[in-house]
Amino acid sequence: MGKPTKRQARKQYNYSTNRRKEWKKSKKLPDIKCKEIKESWDRRLSVARNLADMGLSANPNKTIHIKSAKELITPIDLDDTGKNKEPKGRPVKEHVVQSLEKDASRPSAKTNKLSEPDVLFCTYMLDKHGDDFKAMARDPKNHYQETSKQIKKKINMFKNTPTQYEAYLKSKVDDAWGTFRKVCCSPVTAELRDGPPTSHSPRKRRRITRKYEAARRNGHYTQSPEVLDKDSTVESPPVTLSRVRRKLHFGRKPPKIRENVLDS
């Protein structure tokens, strides 16, 4: 049993398209990027005729005939067959070919450009190690285990690439300038420049507690709280026997010592 075929739909005429515009678009020539050919192009002539007038070939396979194996075995006189005959007359626009040959003979400028991972590798090594290539070879970021000479060659290539190396130097200058601005505008620098800050807040009054009263009775504080509020300096408590024992034994419980032995 045969397979049922899908019924073909009848083609409908599209009234919304502009036929004249499409015809002009189909006749429009492509954009010619070569300046010499674009200036000498004649829109009234065909592509083959334009190129022939300029001394160029539209189909190099027809212009340069490659002999087959049969022709190599049995040479044929090409003048009799009509192949590879010299073109009639010289090209009209010879200046196009001459300008193209002149442009092709110029040596091309070297455009060495490292990849983005290599640029990041070089900038990291330069920031961390400077010109110490042996330290670069021992760095953990050297994933491919390159030697110091290989790293030096890569960094020299990076320095000889003006676009990438100048961008790196510019970023370093911008970072240094940003750090300088942060340091100049920081409050710590302002304090060092203007001197220590002056506090206008009043001195807090000492709170009188039982511990303070007991220490004052033992002679630790010789001034009253009112005098301490006016004077910023606080007298240190006098040295007593208990304090000397604590210092001598570093917090351990001191042994019993006679008073006369310690005084002597």
Side-chain angles (χ1 to χ4, degrees):
M1 188 173 178
K3 193 174 182 180
T5 58
K6 191 175 181 180
R7 188 177 179 181
Q8 293 182 356
R10 187 178 177 182
K11 292 184 179 179
Q12 295 180 357
Y13 186 81
N14 191 1
Y15 291 93
S16 61
T17 57
N18 191 345
R19 306 291 173 179
R20 186 179 180 83
K21 190 175 181 180
E22 286 187 354
W23 180 80
K24 284 185 177 180
K25 191 175 181 181
S26 64
K27 294 295 181 181
K28 186 181 178 181
L29 291 172
D31 188 17
I32 301 172
K33 296 183 179 179
C34 184
K35 183 181 178 182
E36 292 82 3
I37 296 175
K38 190 174 183 179
E39 290 176 353
S40 304
W41 193 269
D42 191 356
R43 303 186 71 178
R44 296 171 295 179
L45 303 177
S46 63
V47 177
R49 183 65 184 277
N50 270 304
L51 294 176
D53 291 345
M54 296 176 194
L56 304 174
S57 174
N59 191 353
N61 293 325
K62 291 182 179 180
T63 307
I64 304 171
H65 179 68
I66 299 173
K67 293 182 179 181
S68 63
K70 187 177 180 180
E71 290 174 352
L72 292 172
I73 294 170
T74 58
I76 303 171
D77 190 5
L78 298 178
D79 294 335
D80 298 338
T81 57
K83 293 181 180 179
N84 281 13
K85 287 185 179 180
E86 294 183 0
K88 296 179 180 180
R90 301 184 65 180
V92 182
K93 305 171 183 177
E94 288 186 354
H95 64 278
V96 179
V97 178
Q98 293 174 1
S99 60
L100 291 174
E101 289 177 352
K102 190 176 180 181
D103 292 341
S105 62
R106 291 175 184 172
S108 59
K110 293 183 179 179
T111 56
N112 295 330
K113 194 173 182 181
L114 293 174
S115 61
E116 188 175 354
D118 289 342
V119 171
L120 294 175
F121 175 79
C122 293
T123 53
Y124 168 78
M125 291 298 180
L126 288 172
D127 291 340
K128 188 173 181 181
H129 302 291
D131 295 333
D132 193 357
F133 300 106
K134 292 184 178 179
M136 294 179 189
R138 295 191 299 267
D139 196 275
K141 292 282 186 179
N142 186 14
H143 301 301
Y144 295 103
Q145 295 296 308
E146 295 179 349
T147 61
S148 57
K149 290 186 178 180
Q150 290 174 338
I151 296 173
K152 184 178 180 180
K153 185 178 179 181
K154 187 179 288 187
I155 289 176
N156 288 336
M157 188 183 295
F158 171 65
K159 288 181 178 179
N160 292 329
T161 308
T163 55
Q164 295 176 336
Y165 190 60
E166 286 175 5
Y168 165 69
L169 294 177
K170 187 178 179 182
S171 65
K172 292 285 288 181
V173 171
D174 293 342
D175 293 343
W177 179 246
T179 307
F180 176 74
R181 289 183 64 184
K182 285 181 181 179
V183 170
C184 291
C185 299
S186 63
V188 178
T189 311
E191 289 179 3
L192 294 174
R193 185 175 61 249
D194 302 336
T198 56
S199 177
H200 299 285
S201 60
R203 187 178 177 85
K204 292 184 178 180
R205 186 180 180 85
R206 182 183 293 278
R207 186 180 177 186
I208 300 173
T209 58
R210 293 182 180 181
K211 187 176 181 180
Y212 169 75
E213 290 292 342
R216 189 176 178 187
R217 284 195 300 270
N218 293 334
H220 286 212
Y221 300 102
T222 56
Q223 295 179 353
S224 63
E226 292 79 7
V227 177
L228 286 174
D229 290 339
K230 295 178 182 179
D231 191 7
S232 60
T233 58
V234 180
E235 294 182 1
S236 59
V239 180
T240 57
L241 181 62
S242 61
R243 291 174 64 84
V244 172
R245 285 174 178 173
R246 288 196 200 100
K247 288 184 178 181
L248 287 174
H249 296 277
F250 303 99
R252 296 193 298 270
K253 189 176 180 181
K256 292 183 179 180
I257 304 173
R258 295 179 183 179
E259 296 292 338
N260 55 5
V261 174
L262 186 63
D263 295 337
S264 63

